[in-house]
Every structure is written in structure tokens, then in C-alpha cells.
Amino acid sequence: MLRELGYRTDGDLLDEVRAGDVSSYAELFTRYHDAAMRRARSFQCPSMSCDDLVSESFARVLDALRDGNGPRTAFRAYLLMTMRNVFYERDRRGDGRVFPTGDDSDLDSHTGFDADSISDQGVMQEAFGSLNTRWRTVLWQSQVQQLSYAEIAAQHGISATATTSLINRAREGLRQAYVQAHASAQQPDLCGPTVAMLGAWFRNSLKSADRAAVSEHLLACRHCRDLADELHEINTNLPAARAS
């Protein structure tokens, strides 16, 4: 979707880094430095500055890529997981220094969607809370209470076919709401009209005129393109929507 706008995705840039183009890593640094600093400020590590934590984490990811490891698409998730590992290493040692282990096996297991590293549970709760009552109810019944479709149909007085359709619509609504909630949480004041439609844009549920307007804005606005690229990772790697 982003490539159609002539935009290089994180996956494109990561492939270029593996091919030896370090300038592409500078682009990734520019895209995600602010997000990394926001996450760094959420940690409490008196012996380590936010700048040090971010710099060390970016350096580790680059080393992993040069060794043929590291992320293929979900760069932001991988970076934030690396930051967490760096923080806990220093916290355990308690001496204010970082000692790279040289073992990226733990990081390699986090190249896909990771709810903790991409966003906190509050974003999912916000998305779930934004749904209408009926959608919330059937998602809770199917995902949390794990009722059968027949049991749900009986409780709502509808047919099995209608129940399947209702649950599918509710799941799609939650996926779209999650992407949108994440967009709003990351940059609530940036290019408001476009950001407000990004969730629907990724889920292909906008009217043609609105879709064209979002695409046109993305071509002109680097900040929104970077946000859209981040949301592309989330939308691509988001598992079956869950209510909890």
C-alpha cells in the first residue's frame, strides 16, 4: 500500500542495510528516534540517560543486521524490545555500564507483532471500549468466555449465520479501532484529519474520496508517512483481534 505511493517501507530499508547501505539505517534512525526517546523516558534508570539507552539500542540492532540477524519488517517492535533488554541488563548490573552479550537469540524471537513492545494494553482497551455495545458483547462472549457460536446465537436470538457475520464484523471493527487508537496515541496532534482516518485507510473501509485525500496527504507529509509505515507493521502483523 505504501509502496504504491513511492514510499520505502521499513522492510525495504532493512533489506538495503543488509546489502551494505548504512545510509538506509540513518533513515530508520530518523523515523523512530522520537518513538525510542518516548519509550526511554518511560523507564526509570538513574545511571543511564535516555540518549545513552536509545543510542546503545540502535547500535545493537545495526550490529544484528550486519550479522545477518535482526528484524525483517517490524523494526520498531524489534528496537523497543532491544531497548528493554539493554535497560534490564544495566538494571541487573547496577553499575551504570552496558555490557553487550553478543547473543541476539532472544531478540530474534521478537521480529513479529508483540503487544508489549508495539503498544501497551491500554491501547487495546481503548479500541475495545470504542466499539458499540453489541460488538463488545459478542467479542467478550467468543474470545473471553469462549462460548460456542450456537450458544451466542441463542443468547442473542439470531441465527447461526447471522452470529458468524456479527462476530466477523466485530473482529474487523476491533482491528480497525486498534490501528486507529495506536495512531492517535502516538501522534494525537499531528495532521488531525488524516491521522483520524488512517485506521480505516489501512483496513480499506474509506470512501474513495477520503481514501484519495489520505493518499495525497501521505505523499506530501513525511511525518504522516512515518506514522503510516509504523501502522503498516501493526496492521500486517496484528493477530486475530481479541477482546482481552
Side-chain angles (χ1 to χ4, degrees):
M1 188 179 296
L2 291 171
R3 289 191 182 97
E4 295 173 2
L5 302 176
Y7 180 72
R8 291 189 300 169
T9 67
D10 286 358
D12 296 330
L13 293 171
L14 289 167
D15 287 342
E16 292 169 8
V17 174
R18 285 193 173 85
D21 186 357
V22 180
S23 65
S24 295
Y25 196 72
E27 175 66 22
L28 289 167
F29 181 91
T30 299
R31 287 184 184 183
Y32 294 111
H33 180 265
D34 288 347
M37 287 296 293
R38 287 195 298 271
R39 179 55 59 90
R41 285 191 287 269
S42 72
F43 292 111
Q44 295 184 3
C45 183
S47 61
M48 187 180 198
S49 71
C50 292
D51 285 334
D52 286 344
L53 176 57
V54 170
S55 296
E56 173 68 17
S57 300
F58 270 104
R60 285 203 187 186
V61 177
L62 179 57
D63 287 343
L65 292 171
R66 284 171 166 167
D67 290 340
N69 301 313
R72 294 289 175 180
T73 55
F75 179 82
R76 182 179 183 274
Y78 192 100
L79 173 66
L80 297 185
M81 182 60 67
T82 303
M83 289 179 62
R84 181 184 302 176
N85 289 350
V86 171
F87 169 76
Y88 285 132
E89 281 181 20
R90 176 168 292 206
D91 187 58
R92 284 195 302 268
R93 293 180 181 277
D95 59 5
R97 292 177 292 166
V98 172
F99 292 84
T101 64
D103 180 7
D104 289 325
S105 59
D106 179 58
L107 298 179
D108 288 341
S109 65
H110 296 283
T111 56
F113 178 85
D114 179 85
D116 292 329
S117 61
I118 291 182
S119 183
D120 59 28
Q121 186 70 10
V123 176
M124 179 58 82
Q125 292 173 348
E126 178 184 344
F128 183 69
S130 72
L131 302 179
N132 63 56
T133 301
R134 198 177 195 198
W135 282 5
R136 291 200 306 269
T137 299
V138 296
L139 285 173
W140 187 266
Q141 290 172 333
S142 64
Q143 302 298 124
V144 179
Q145 296 180 319
Q146 296 187 328
L147 299 181
S148 69
Y149 279 28
E151 290 172 319
I152 296 173
Q155 290 195 22
H156 291 269
I158 57 179
S159 68
T161 300
T163 299
T164 300
S165 177
L166 175 62
I167 292 175
N168 287 340
R169 291 198 308 273
R171 285 175 174 167
E172 172 57 29
L174 181 58
R175 291 174 71 95
Q176 180 174 317
Y178 179 81
V179 173
Q180 186 58 54
H182 187 85
S184 300
Q186 292 300 310
Q187 301 192 39
D189 301 321
L190 178 63
C191 304
T194 296
V195 172
M197 292 189 289
L198 281 177
W201 187 75
F202 272 107
R203 302 305 300 168
N204 294 312
S205 59
L206 283 179
K207 296 179 180 178
S208 58
D210 288 337
R211 184 171 183 78
V214 171
S215 297
E216 182 178 356
H217 181 88
L218 291 175
L219 286 172
C221 179
R222 175 170 181 167
H223 291 294
C224 284
R225 286 199 306 272
D226 291 347
L227 176 58
D229 194 40
E230 180 178 329
L231 296 180
H232 171 73
E233 290 186 6
I234 294 171
N235 182 58
T236 300
N237 294 291
L238 188 63
R242 296 176 298 162
S244 64

